[in-house]
Amino acid sequence: MSGCCTPNGSCHTGTAGTAGTATQVVYKVQGIGSAHCQGVVTDAVSALGDVAAVKVEIGTGLVTVTTAAEADEAFDELIAKTVDEAGYDFAGRVPA
């Protein structure tokens, strides 16, 4: 069984345990043009502490991160470093 799936087969990445404290931030990443790229970025960002969920859109390069921590400038820098180390170009936070 895959590590992302629940015993009932659902692969939804929820924010259980972070109710009321979760924050969503959207970033732009250049070069996400395939499912492989999507998986690489998802895995890299998901491995960070305080990240509850990650949604990566193929083509648009929009990466939505749900975090239990405050999404401040230091968090943005951590996401940028992680994306760059994964081999993709971080283009910044998308204004809300």
Side-chain angles (χ1 to χ4, degrees):
M1 174 170 55
S2 173
C4 74
C5 296
T6 62
N8 70 359
S10 169
C11 288
H12 176 71
T13 306
T15 57
T18 60
T21 61
T23 302
Q24 276 195 338
V25 186
V26 180
Y27 300 98
K28 176 74 174 173
V29 177
Q30 303 292 335
I32 301 174
S34 69
H36 171 78
C37 299
Q38 180 185 42
V40 169
V41 173
T42 299
D43 290 347
V45 175
S46 294
L48 297 174
D50 293 324
V51 172
V54 179
K55 177 183 174 194
V56 179
E57 295 180 21
I58 298 171
T60 66
L62 295 178
V63 178
T64 303
V65 179
T66 303
T67 176
E70 182 178 343
D72 56 11
E73 188 175 319
F75 187 78
D76 292 351
E77 290 173 7
L78 179 61
I79 296 292
K81 179 181 177 194
T82 301
V83 167
D84 288 342
E85 287 176 353
Y88 296 86
D89 295 321
F90 181 80
R93 190 188 283 221
V94 175

